[in-house]
Tab-separated table of all heavy atoms in Angstrom:
chain	number	residue	atom	x	y	z
A	1	LEU	N	-18.094	2.380	-1.517
A	1	LEU	CA	-19.074	2.002	-0.465
A	1	LEU	C	-19.765	3.208	0.147
A	1	LEU	O	-20.952	3.178	0.419
A	1	LEU	CB	-18.390	1.199	0.597
A	1	LEU	CG	-17.984	-0.245	0.195
A	1	LEU	CD1	-17.071	-0.869	1.209
A	1	LEU	CD2	-19.215	-1.121	-0.029
A	2	MET	N	-19.022	4.314	0.275
A	2	MET	CA	-19.587	5.490	0.883
A	2	MET	C	-20.812	6.015	0.128
A	2	MET	O	-21.725	6.551	0.704
A	2	MET	CB	-18.473	6.607	0.948
A	2	MET	CG	-18.797	7.766	1.850
A	2	MET	SD	-17.423	8.970	1.839
A	2	MET	CE	-16.027	7.928	2.172
A	3	LEU	N	-20.775	5.787	-1.177
A	3	LEU	CA	-21.871	6.280	-2.029
A	3	LEU	C	-23.001	5.282	-2.178
A	3	LEU	O	-24.030	5.581	-2.720
A	3	LEU	CB	-21.343	6.590	-3.437
A	3	LEU	CG	-20.280	7.714	-3.502
A	3	LEU	CD1	-19.702	7.824	-4.926
A	3	LEU	CD2	-20.856	9.045	-3.046
A	4	HIS	N	-22.807	4.037	-1.642
A	4	HIS	CA	-23.811	2.990	-1.866
A	4	HIS	C	-24.454	2.384	-0.625
A	4	HIS	O	-25.302	1.540	-0.748
A	4	HIS	CB	-23.175	1.875	-2.706
A	4	HIS	CG	-22.888	2.300	-4.128
A	4	HIS	ND1	-21.738	2.937	-4.489
A	4	HIS	CD2	-23.639	2.221	-5.231
A	4	HIS	CE1	-21.762	3.205	-5.784
A	4	HIS	NE2	-22.919	2.795	-6.260
A	5	VAL	N	-24.015	2.828	0.562
A	5	VAL	CA	-24.583	2.333	1.807
A	5	VAL	C	-24.914	3.487	2.711
A	5	VAL	O	-24.371	4.573	2.582
A	5	VAL	CB	-23.672	1.292	2.512
A	5	VAL	CG1	-23.397	0.100	1.651
A	5	VAL	CG2	-22.396	1.924	3.000
A	6	LYS	N	-25.847	3.229	3.630
A	6	LYS	CA	-26.272	4.306	4.538
A	6	LYS	C	-25.228	4.631	5.597
A	6	LYS	O	-24.978	5.785	5.913
A	6	LYS	CB	-27.587	3.873	5.203
A	6	LYS	CG	-28.308	5.011	5.887
A	6	LYS	CD	-29.727	4.606	6.202
A	6	LYS	CE	-30.514	5.710	6.774
A	6	LYS	NZ	-31.089	6.628	5.831
A	7	GLU	N	-24.628	3.596	6.175
A	7	GLU	CA	-23.589	3.788	7.204
A	7	GLU	C	-22.391	2.941	6.860
A	7	GLU	O	-22.481	1.735	6.582
A	7	GLU	CB	-24.130	3.367	8.578
A	7	GLU	CG	-23.146	3.532	9.679
A	7	GLU	CD	-23.659	3.052	11.036
A	7	GLU	OE1	-24.872	2.983	11.251
A	7	GLU	OE2	-22.791	2.706	11.877
A	8	LEU	N	-21.206	3.583	6.903
A	8	LEU	CA	-19.973	2.854	6.583
A	8	LEU	C	-18.940	3.132	7.656
A	8	LEU	O	-18.697	4.257	8.016
A	8	LEU	CB	-19.400	3.379	5.229
A	8	LEU	CG	-18.029	2.816	4.787
A	8	LEU	CD1	-18.107	1.340	4.552
A	8	LEU	CD2	-17.538	3.540	3.543
A	9	ARG	N	-18.376	2.043	8.167
A	9	ARG	CA	-17.271	2.119	9.138
A	9	ARG	C	-16.028	1.640	8.407
A	9	ARG	O	-15.976	0.475	7.932
A	9	ARG	CB	-17.524	1.242	10.374
A	9	ARG	CG	-18.759	1.557	11.193
A	9	ARG	CD	-18.566	2.684	12.148
A	9	ARG	NE	-17.452	2.538	13.087
A	9	ARG	CZ	-17.497	1.989	14.260
A	9	ARG	NH1	-18.595	1.476	14.731
A	9	ARG	NH2	-16.422	1.935	15.014
A	10	VAL	N	-15.034	2.488	8.257
A	10	VAL	CA	-13.790	2.157	7.574
A	10	VAL	C	-12.677	1.988	8.637
A	10	VAL	O	-12.425	2.924	9.387
A	10	VAL	CB	-13.422	3.226	6.571
A	10	VAL	CG1	-12.078	2.896	5.869
A	10	VAL	CG2	-14.489	3.417	5.533
A	11	PHE	N	-12.061	0.822	8.606
A	11	PHE	CA	-10.974	0.526	9.545
A	11	PHE	C	-9.707	0.337	8.734
A	11	PHE	O	-9.607	-0.625	7.961
A	11	PHE	CB	-11.262	-0.729	10.386
A	11	PHE	CG	-12.482	-0.586	11.241
A	11	PHE	CD1	-13.744	-0.912	10.780
A	11	PHE	CD2	-12.373	-0.111	12.543
A	11	PHE	CE1	-14.843	-0.807	11.582
A	11	PHE	CE2	-13.480	0.032	13.345
A	11	PHE	CZ	-14.730	-0.321	12.885
A	12	ASN	N	-8.773	1.240	8.870
A	12	ASN	CA	-7.516	1.146	8.126
A	12	ASN	C	-6.652	0.102	8.817
A	12	ASN	O	-5.942	0.375	9.763
A	12	ASN	CB	-6.796	2.503	8.056
A	12	ASN	CG	-5.513	2.379	7.229
A	12	ASN	OD1	-5.186	1.333	6.682
A	12	ASN	ND2	-4.783	3.473	7.150
A	13	THR	N	-6.689	-1.101	8.308
A	13	THR	CA	-5.923	-2.213	8.885
A	13	THR	C	-4.690	-2.534	8.058
A	13	THR	O	-4.093	-3.612	8.223
A	13	THR	CB	-6.805	-3.472	9.060
A	13	THR	OG1	-7.417	-3.782	7.817
A	13	THR	CG2	-7.895	-3.214	10.131
A	14	ILE	N	-4.312	-1.616	7.189
A	14	ILE	CA	-3.053	-1.807	6.443
A	14	ILE	C	-1.913	-1.493	7.392
A	14	ILE	O	-1.903	-0.479	8.087
A	14	ILE	CB	-3.020	-0.882	5.209
A	14	ILE	CG1	-4.145	-1.282	4.220
A	14	ILE	CG2	-1.634	-0.994	4.530
A	14	ILE	CD1	-4.302	-0.397	3.023
A	15	CYS	N	-0.919	-2.384	7.470
A	15	CYS	CA	0.184	-2.278	8.410
A	15	CYS	C	1.001	-1.010	8.091
A	15	CYS	O	1.259	-0.712	6.914
A	15	CYS	CB	1.061	-3.526	8.223
A	15	CYS	SG	2.581	-3.473	9.116
A	16	ASN	N	1.367	-0.266	9.123
A	16	ASN	CA	2.162	0.936	8.970
A	16	ASN	C	3.468	0.678	8.210
A	16	ASN	O	3.859	1.464	7.369
A	16	ASN	CB	2.497	1.575	10.345
A	16	ASN	CG	1.314	2.127	11.008
A	16	ASN	OD1	0.258	2.391	10.368
A	16	ASN	ND2	1.336	2.320	12.293
A	17	ALA	N	4.134	-0.386	8.534
A	17	ALA	CA	5.391	-0.720	7.872
A	17	ALA	C	5.158	-0.970	6.393
A	17	ALA	O	5.960	-0.594	5.544
A	17	ALA	CB	6.024	-1.972	8.522
A	18	THR	N	4.019	-1.619	6.080
A	18	THR	CA	3.659	-1.868	4.660
A	18	THR	C	3.517	-0.547	3.933
A	18	THR	O	4.050	-0.352	2.823
A	18	THR	CB	2.362	-2.696	4.560
A	18	THR	OG1	2.579	-3.936	5.130
A	18	THR	CG2	1.896	-2.794	3.144
A	19	PHE	N	2.760	0.420	4.550
A	19	PHE	CA	2.557	1.714	3.948
A	19	PHE	C	3.878	2.431	3.740
A	19	PHE	O	4.127	2.979	2.659
A	19	PHE	CB	1.619	2.563	4.853
A	19	PHE	CG	1.420	3.936	4.338
A	19	PHE	CD1	0.622	4.166	3.201
A	19	PHE	CD2	2.042	5.010	4.933
A	19	PHE	CE1	0.429	5.457	2.725
A	19	PHE	CE2	1.823	6.281	4.460
A	19	PHE	CZ	1.043	6.534	3.344
A	20	GLU	N	4.766	2.406	4.728
A	20	GLU	CA	6.051	3.091	4.614
A	20	GLU	C	6.902	2.455	3.544
A	20	GLU	O	7.569	3.145	2.740
A	20	GLU	CB	6.753	3.053	5.969
A	20	GLU	CG	6.114	3.951	7.022
A	20	GLU	CD	6.618	3.693	8.432
A	20	GLU	OE1	7.610	2.950	8.600
A	20	GLU	OE2	6.031	4.238	9.344
A	21	ASN	N	6.900	1.110	3.452
A	21	ASN	CA	7.675	0.411	2.435
A	21	ASN	C	7.148	0.723	1.040
A	21	ASN	O	7.922	0.915	0.089
A	21	ASN	CB	7.646	-1.084	2.643
A	21	ASN	CG	8.426	-1.511	3.867
A	21	ASN	OD1	9.285	-0.791	4.350
A	21	ASN	ND2	8.175	-2.722	4.366
A	22	GLN	N	5.810	0.804	0.886
A	22	GLN	CA	5.223	1.110	-0.397
A	22	GLN	C	5.585	2.570	-0.827
A	22	GLN	O	5.891	2.792	-1.982
A	22	GLN	CB	3.712	0.913	-0.350
A	22	GLN	CG	3.300	-0.530	-0.258
A	22	GLN	CD	1.796	-0.727	-0.145
A	22	GLN	OE1	1.030	0.252	-0.080
A	22	GLN	NE2	1.365	-1.957	-0.094
A	23	GLU	N	5.531	3.461	0.116
A	23	GLU	CA	5.896	4.874	-0.199
A	23	GLU	C	7.373	4.947	-0.598
A	23	GLU	O	7.718	5.671	-1.521
A	23	GLU	CB	5.621	5.777	1.024
A	23	GLU	CG	4.181	6.180	1.166
A	23	GLU	CD	3.664	6.979	-0.001
A	23	GLU	OE1	4.197	8.056	-0.320
A	23	GLU	OE2	2.712	6.489	-0.684
A	24	ALA	N	8.240	4.270	0.142
A	24	ALA	CA	9.677	4.270	-0.169
A	24	ALA	C	9.938	3.655	-1.567
A	24	ALA	O	10.737	4.240	-2.332
A	24	ALA	CB	10.441	3.523	0.926
A	25	ALA	N	9.255	2.565	-1.866
A	25	ALA	CA	9.442	1.927	-3.176
A	25	ALA	C	8.981	2.877	-4.291
A	25	ALA	O	9.659	3.000	-5.342
A	25	ALA	CB	8.660	0.611	-3.259
A	26	LYS	N	7.834	3.552	-4.068
A	26	LYS	CA	7.340	4.475	-5.086
A	26	LYS	C	8.347	5.637	-5.320
A	26	LYS	O	8.675	5.953	-6.479
A	26	LYS	CB	5.979	5.026	-4.658
A	26	LYS	CG	5.392	6.023	-5.613
A	26	LYS	CD	3.936	6.337	-5.321
A	26	LYS	CE	3.802	7.115	-4.052
A	26	LYS	NZ	2.426	7.560	-3.820
A	27	ASN	N	8.833	6.225	-4.243
A	27	ASN	CA	9.741	7.355	-4.352
A	27	ASN	C	11.066	6.940	-4.998
A	27	ASN	O	11.591	7.686	-5.812
A	27	ASN	CB	10.000	7.979	-2.957
A	27	ASN	CG	8.736	8.640	-2.429
A	27	ASN	OD1	7.871	9.088	-3.237
A	27	ASN	ND2	8.628	8.749	-1.116
A	28	LEU	N	11.532	5.761	-4.621
A	28	LEU	CA	12.803	5.283	-5.209
A	28	LEU	C	12.617	4.915	-6.661
A	28	LEU	O	13.458	5.248	-7.512
A	28	LEU	CB	13.297	4.064	-4.423
A	28	LEU	CG	14.667	3.512	-4.759
A	28	LEU	CD1	15.741	4.583	-4.596
A	28	LEU	CD2	14.981	2.321	-3.832
A	29	ALA	N	11.514	4.287	-7.039
A	29	ALA	CA	11.260	3.855	-8.425
A	29	ALA	C	11.200	5.053	-9.338
A	29	ALA	O	11.523	4.941	-10.525
A	29	ALA	CB	10.009	2.994	-8.456
A	30	LYS	N	10.688	6.160	-8.868
A	30	LYS	CA	10.573	7.356	-9.688
A	30	LYS	C	11.965	7.866	-10.123
A	30	LYS	O	12.074	8.535	-11.170
A	30	LYS	CB	9.868	8.476	-8.864
A	30	LYS	CG	8.401	8.263	-8.712
A	30	LYS	CD	7.784	9.407	-7.883
A	30	LYS	CE	6.312	9.209	-7.673
A	30	LYS	NZ	5.727	10.239	-6.812
A	31	ARG	N	12.973	7.569	-9.335
A	31	ARG	CA	14.322	8.100	-9.604
A	31	ARG	C	15.252	7.014	-10.157
A	31	ARG	O	16.318	7.346	-10.683
A	31	ARG	CB	14.953	8.648	-8.293
A	31	ARG	CG	14.136	9.738	-7.668
A	31	ARG	CD	14.891	10.438	-6.524
A	31	ARG	NE	15.641	9.558	-5.661
A	31	ARG	CZ	15.220	9.051	-4.512
A	31	ARG	NH1	14.010	9.283	-4.132
A	31	ARG	NH2	16.017	8.323	-3.766
A	32	ALA	N	14.903	5.769	-10.093
A	32	ALA	CA	15.775	4.679	-10.457
A	32	ALA	C	15.661	4.294	-11.921
A	32	ALA	O	14.605	4.436	-12.552
A	32	ALA	CB	15.530	3.445	-9.606
A	33	ASP	N	16.742	3.759	-12.479
A	33	ASP	CA	16.740	3.209	-13.822
A	33	ASP	C	16.302	1.718	-13.780
A	33	ASP	O	15.663	1.237	-14.713
A	33	ASP	CB	18.115	3.284	-14.472
A	33	ASP	CG	18.552	4.730	-14.691
A	33	ASP	OD1	17.687	5.565	-15.026
A	33	ASP	OD2	19.769	5.033	-14.529
A	34	VAL	N	16.665	1.052	-12.710
A	34	VAL	CA	16.340	-0.353	-12.505
A	34	VAL	C	15.957	-0.550	-11.062
A	34	VAL	O	16.602	-0.032	-10.159
A	34	VAL	CB	17.503	-1.305	-12.859
A	34	VAL	CG1	17.176	-2.730	-12.556
A	34	VAL	CG2	17.941	-1.126	-14.314
A	35	MET	N	14.865	-1.322	-10.834
A	35	MET	CA	14.457	-1.660	-9.479
A	35	MET	C	14.494	-3.192	-9.336
A	35	MET	O	13.973	-3.911	-10.191
A	35	MET	CB	13.034	-1.195	-9.209
A	35	MET	CG	12.904	0.268	-8.968
A	35	MET	SD	13.537	0.900	-7.428
A	35	MET	CE	12.337	0.245	-6.270
A	36	ILE	N	15.151	-3.660	-8.256
A	36	ILE	CA	15.181	-5.100	-7.981
A	36	ILE	C	14.540	-5.297	-6.626
A	36	ILE	O	15.007	-4.748	-5.628
A	36	ILE	CB	16.635	-5.618	-7.991
A	36	ILE	CG1	17.261	-5.437	-9.383
A	36	ILE	CG2	16.627	-7.117	-7.585
A	36	ILE	CD1	18.722	-5.779	-9.446
A	37	ILE	N	13.429	-6.015	-6.606
A	37	ILE	CA	12.707	-6.284	-5.408
A	37	ILE	C	13.027	-7.716	-5.010
A	37	ILE	O	12.815	-8.668	-5.778
A	37	ILE	CB	11.157	-6.124	-5.582
A	37	ILE	CG1	10.842	-4.653	-5.888
A	37	ILE	CG2	10.408	-6.531	-4.349
A	37	ILE	CD1	10.945	-4.269	-7.343
A	38	ILE	N	13.551	-7.920	-3.777
A	38	ILE	CA	13.961	-9.226	-3.356
A	38	ILE	C	12.978	-9.711	-2.279
A	38	ILE	O	12.788	-9.026	-1.277
A	38	ILE	CB	15.389	-9.191	-2.769
A	38	ILE	CG1	16.360	-8.636	-3.794
A	38	ILE	CG2	15.818	-10.590	-2.299
A	38	ILE	CD1	17.752	-8.289	-3.247
A	39	GLY	N	12.427	-10.849	-2.512
A	39	GLY	CA	11.439	-11.413	-1.548
A	39	GLY	C	10.767	-12.617	-2.124
A	39	GLY	O	10.996	-13.025	-3.262
A	40	GLY	N	9.912	-13.204	-1.334
A	40	GLY	CA	9.173	-14.381	-1.766
A	40	GLY	C	8.195	-14.097	-2.845
A	40	GLY	O	7.441	-13.143	-2.784
A	41	LYS	N	8.220	-14.889	-3.884
A	41	LYS	CA	7.298	-14.705	-5.029
A	41	LYS	C	5.856	-15.000	-4.663
A	41	LYS	O	4.925	-14.573	-5.387
A	41	LYS	CB	7.761	-15.489	-6.231
A	41	LYS	CG	9.059	-14.939	-6.808
A	41	LYS	CD	9.463	-15.555	-8.111
A	41	LYS	CE	10.749	-14.909	-8.608
A	41	LYS	NZ	11.311	-15.536	-9.764
A	42	ASN	N	5.624	-15.670	-3.566
A	42	ASN	CA	4.263	-15.913	-3.082
A	42	ASN	C	3.818	-14.908	-2.013
A	42	ASN	O	2.692	-15.006	-1.522
A	42	ASN	CB	4.156	-17.347	-2.538
A	42	ASN	CG	4.268	-18.393	-3.589
A	42	ASN	OD1	3.858	-18.184	-4.725
A	42	ASN	ND2	4.896	-19.498	-3.261
A	43	SER	N	4.686	-13.963	-1.735
A	43	SER	CA	4.404	-12.961	-0.699
A	43	SER	C	3.554	-11.818	-1.240
A	43	SER	O	3.944	-11.169	-2.196
A	43	SER	CB	5.704	-12.415	-0.150
A	43	SER	OG	5.478	-11.223	0.558
A	44	SER	N	2.388	-11.588	-0.617
A	44	SER	CA	1.569	-10.481	-1.046
A	44	SER	C	2.300	-9.143	-0.907
A	44	SER	O	2.205	-8.297	-1.786
A	44	SER	CB	0.292	-10.451	-0.174
A	44	SER	OG	-0.484	-9.296	-0.448
A	45	ASN	N	3.019	-9.010	0.190
A	45	ASN	CA	3.759	-7.771	0.430
A	45	ASN	C	4.788	-7.506	-0.665
A	45	ASN	O	4.865	-6.389	-1.217
A	45	ASN	CB	4.439	-7.889	1.804
A	45	ASN	CG	4.909	-6.568	2.342
A	45	ASN	OD1	4.419	-5.525	1.958
A	45	ASN	ND2	5.830	-6.605	3.270
A	46	THR	N	5.575	-8.534	-0.991
A	46	THR	CA	6.568	-8.391	-2.051
A	46	THR	C	5.963	-8.095	-3.409
A	46	THR	O	6.448	-7.252	-4.154
A	46	THR	CB	7.447	-9.688	-2.121
A	46	THR	OG1	7.985	-9.948	-0.827
A	46	THR	CG2	8.559	-9.551	-3.132
């Protein structure tokens, strides 16, 4: 969008807890042999 519009307002509305969980999952997955994610299969977060 920055390259295609004259004025862009970006609001980071991603939840802090979501960001922290995603970072933790990434760091753990890099070291793990198996990852098991437990949560609702209809959950966007999961």
Side-chain angles (χ1 to χ4, degrees):
L1 288 168
M2 197 178 308
L3 298 173
H4 291 87
V5 299
K6 193 165 185 86
E7 180 183 336
L8 176 64
R9 300 277 307 268
V10 178
F11 297 90
N12 182 2
T13 54
I14 297 174
C15 173
N16 291 340
T18 295
F19 177 73
E20 290 167 9
N21 290 342
Q22 289 177 358
E23 280 298 300
K26 179 168 70 173
N27 293 333
L28 188 57
K30 287 178 180 178
R31 302 189 321 265
D33 293 325
V34 176
M35 286 287 288
I36 299 173
I37 296 85
I38 304 168
K41 291 188 178 173
N42 292 325
S43 164
S44 172
N45 196 20
T46 304

